[in-house]
Amino acid sequence: MDAAPEPVLESFRSLFAERTGIRLRRGDKPRIGEFLHQRIRATTARDGQAYLDLLKGNSPRARNEWHTLITELTVLESYFFRDEGQFRVLRQHLLPRLIHDRRDVGELRVWSAGCSRGEEIYSIAILLDELLPDREAWKLRLVGTDINPAAIDLARRGSFSRWSLRNLDEHTRARYFHRSGNRWQLDSRITDMVDFQPGNLLADRFPGQHGPLHDMDLILCRNVFIYMDTASVARIVGKMTRTLRTGGALMTGHSELHGVDTQGLISEHLPGATIHYRLPGTKVAGTTRLPPLQVPITRTAPADKRRSAQPVAPPPTSPVTRLEEARQRFAAGEYRRALEILHRLPASTRNDPESMHLEAWALLQTGDTDAARRTVETLLAREGKTAADLFLLGVIQEAQGLVDAAVGTLQRALYLDPDLIAAYLHLVLLREANDEPDKAHHLRTAALNRLRRMPANREIPYFEGRTAADLVAELEEAPETSPTTRRTGRRA
């Protein structure tokens, strides 16, 4: 079958990526070449170059052609509750926590970016219907966007094939769907919860106070970035960060942000999912510099190696001052900048336990879990074991999916520091992920007992200034299956 010439095909792939952010795979070149040949004939373009010139314009004819291209060349594959690990985290931890945080205002805003035919955002709507017995008292704004207008039309209909429902249990299917011929129609009380609109993540401007895309509590953008180059992903993530409210959460596909600058976000690594939260005071990409946050990223040295603090302030250019700058950059979510500063420190300072501990946290936040693990393992072998270093290693192992290793490491951290509440709650999550509810309950109870014995106003490390009393209240209020570890991807 005839195909477009190779130079035209390569120019088209570049133009398509520039306009949409989506990289058409080289392995699909034969199919795309044939499709382009068909489109050149259908548009009566003189040749391949004339067709490319058409696409570069902004005429109604060009817009119609882009509509056709996007409809034909973007992927619509999805299904309800896709990725059991991520939806377990959504059901048991993230959504209950967002509901707890937003109950006073009674509003929750969720955006599914790259929503395809709506399966993802409708899955969220079903979860909220189950988690909110007083749903009618809430102001819920659920939005789905996709670059493919045909997908948006399908999503609005709420009609699905049996294949899209393949991950649903019988109870959920019976409760929310009814059979209509060979299709399954979603109940109107769920479809009415969601608004759909076309959207181009790369080209569109957001946030925007006059549309729905602002102050979001949760943005889901899963299995979208795998089709994009790193520069496009970074641009989109920057815009999404600004679209989140402070403390709002971004969930992407696994490892989709590896190597991407996530300035202004802090990551929480849980069994089955990584969640990225917007930091307080965040300004992103070209706005004013982030204000430094107080975040003492320090480790506790073994008792026989602790050094007394020096009361004399260091001169402005000293390595100690640069280490403090790295801490501030980390606290502001500028993890790569923090790493750059650490890597320029003199060897004696860079190899100091405090610097290595901070470097391992920063590497974890950028998604380089292998380097983070090597750094903290070197620290443990050289300096002796501390609860802080073991906790960090456990979180890294958890992010790598090494559940048994993470459990063992976190237990060793608790042996050194029985009051390390964050370790208890990470263990709760790991035990729940392993379907060990009795062990999870025991650990949760132990954490509560420890917290109740502490002074009520004692700030708990890793929980952003929250006190023992705050955590007791949250753990007592939360369902047994959703202990409220939050944002423990860094020292606080």
Side-chain angles (χ1 to χ4, degrees):
M1 192 169 182
D2 292 334
E6 182 73 15
V8 172
L9 177 56
E10 287 303 313
S11 296
F12 173 75
R13 289 179 70 248
S14 298
L15 181 60
F16 196 82
E18 179 185 325
R19 289 291 185 94
T20 68
I22 299 171
R23 293 176 300 174
L24 298 172
R25 294 177 296 187
R26 290 187 181 277
D28 290 338
K29 283 173 64 173
R31 178 179 68 86
I32 297 169
E34 293 173 4
F35 175 70
L36 274 185
H37 180 73
Q38 294 171 8
R39 296 312 307 163
I40 292 169
R41 294 182 61 186
T43 57
T44 67
R46 182 178 66 257
D47 54 24
Q49 185 57 53
Y51 180 71
L52 292 173
D53 291 340
L54 167 67
L55 295 180
K56 292 174 184 176
N58 193 37
S59 65
R61 187 165 168 242
R63 291 194 292 272
N64 288 337
E65 186 60 17
W66 275 108
H67 182 292
T68 300
L69 291 173
I70 290 168
T71 299
E72 293 296 326
L73 295 177
T74 54
V75 178
L76 294 184
E77 166 60 18
S78 189
Y79 52 92
F80 280 83
F81 295 92
R82 181 179 183 179
D83 194 318
E84 293 182 9
Q86 289 190 327
F87 267 96
R88 182 179 62 247
V89 169
L90 284 162
R91 182 192 298 271
Q92 297 181 356
H93 306 292
L94 182 53
L95 286 177
R97 205 215 76 212
L98 291 174
I99 289 168
H100 173 272
D101 287 353
R102 303 294 284 168
R103 185 165 289 281
D104 287 347
V105 296
E107 181 179 10
L108 207 58
R109 303 173 64 85
V110 182
W111 173 24
S112 171
C115 67
S116 187
R117 294 165 301 201
E119 291 96 335
E120 178 180 77
I121 192 64
Y122 282 140
S123 297
I124 295 295
I126 289 171
L127 286 183
L128 290 174
D129 186 66
E130 295 174 343
L131 293 169
L132 289 172
D134 58 342
R135 177 165 75 83
E136 298 304 321
W138 282 73
K139 181 181 178 181
L140 300 177
R141 187 68 192 267
L142 276 60
V143 182
T145 67
D146 199 278
I147 195 170
N148 189 330
I152 293 299
D153 290 341
L154 292 171
R156 288 170 175 156
R157 296 174 194 171
S159 176
F160 299 93
S161 69
R162 180 68 178 83
W163 187 242
S164 292
L165 277 58
R166 60 187 181 271
N167 213 33
L168 292 183
D169 57 65
E170 292 294 334
H171 171 76
T172 303
R173 188 165 66 244
R175 180 178 180 184
Y176 292 105
F177 295 83
H178 64 268
R179 190 74 175 265
S180 178
N182 63 350
R183 308 283 294 177
W184 291 81
Q185 182 65 43
L186 184 58
D187 194 285
S188 61
R189 75 180 189 277
I190 299 299
T191 58
D192 289 348
M193 294 171 65
V194 184
D195 294 319
F196 291 98
Q197 62 184 47
N200 184 322
L201 295 176
L202 190 63
D204 291 351
R205 297 182 64 180
F206 56 87
Q209 293 300 318
H210 300 295
L213 302 182
H214 62 87
D215 299 308
M216 306 308 292
D217 296 287
L218 172 61
I219 297 176
L220 298 157
C221 189
R222 305 182 309 143
N223 307 305
V224 174
F225 294 144
I226 54 175
Y227 302 107
M228 298 185 179
D229 60 72
T230 302
S232 297
V233 174
R235 285 177 58 191
I236 294 167
V237 169
K239 293 193 290 184
M240 286 182 168
T241 302
R242 295 194 296 275
T243 305
L244 289 167
R245 67 168 176 83
T246 297
L250 168 66
M251 179 180 281
T252 68
H254 301 286
S255 302
E256 283 190 296
L257 297 189
H258 180 65
V260 176
D261 185 0
T262 54
Q263 176 184 333
L265 296 172
I266 187 76
S267 301
E268 178 183 28
H269 302 279
L270 301 173
T274 296
I275 306 167
H276 311 277
Y277 297 93
R278 179 172 177 173
L279 287 163
T282 299
K283 304 287 185 182
V284 186
T287 55
T288 57
R289 190 177 70 83
L290 299 177
L293 304 177
Q294 183 183 7
V295 73
I297 314 291
T298 58
R299 68 188 284 279
T300 303
D304 60 344
K305 295 188 178 182
R306 291 177 187 163
R307 295 179 289 274
S308 60
Q310 298 298 317
V312 180
T317 58
S318 76
V320 176
T321 298
R322 291 201 292 272
L323 177 57
E324 289 302 321
E325 182 186 357
R327 288 190 179 118
Q328 291 179 357
R329 295 288 188 173
F330 181 96
E334 299 177 41
Y335 309 118
R336 297 187 185 282
R337 178 60 179 148
L339 286 169
E340 291 173 3
I341 295 169
L342 290 169
H343 291 168
R344 289 201 301 268
L345 291 174
S348 59
T349 305
R350 183 180 175 187
N351 293 327
D352 181 83
E354 299 289 343
S355 300
M356 292 182 68
H357 188 82
L358 176 59
E359 182 176 351
W361 275 114
L363 288 166
L364 174 62
Q365 292 300 327
T366 61
D368 195 347
T369 56
D370 289 337
R373 184 176 176 182
R374 287 194 299 271
T375 301
V376 75
E377 285 177 341
T378 300
L379 185 56
L380 286 163
R382 195 186 71 191
E383 296 292 326
K385 296 175 175 59
T386 70
D389 293 336
L390 285 170
F391 176 72
L392 171 53
L393 177 59
V395 173
I396 294 168
Q397 291 167 332
E398 189 177 336
Q400 293 180 319
L402 305 173
V403 174
D404 291 340
V407 167
T409 302
L410 292 170
Q411 288 173 335
R412 288 156 59 203
L414 281 175
Y415 177 79
L416 293 179
D417 182 1
D419 284 340
L420 188 53
I421 300 302
Y424 281 108
L425 297 186
H426 270 264
L427 283 167
V428 169
L429 296 176
L430 289 164
R431 293 302 190 187
E432 286 182 346
N434 262 3
D435 197 21
E436 299 174 295
D438 291 342
K439 290 181 178 179
H441 172 78
H442 173 77
L443 287 159
R444 185 175 183 274
T445 301
L448 267 171
N449 290 339
R450 288 275 174 187
L451 287 164
R452 289 177 180 131
R453 288 198 294 268
M454 296 177 186
N457 62 350
R458 175 176 169 181
E459 290 191 4
I460 306 302
Y462 304 94
F463 288 95
E464 296 187 324
R466 288 185 297 169
T467 64
D470 293 332
L471 291 181
V472 167
E474 291 190 31
L475 285 167
E476 287 180 336
E477 180 179 328
E480 182 71 7
T481 55
S482 55
T484 54
T485 41
R486 63 188 282 194
R487 275 161 273 183
T488 59
R490 63 178 172 116
R491 283 298 306 251

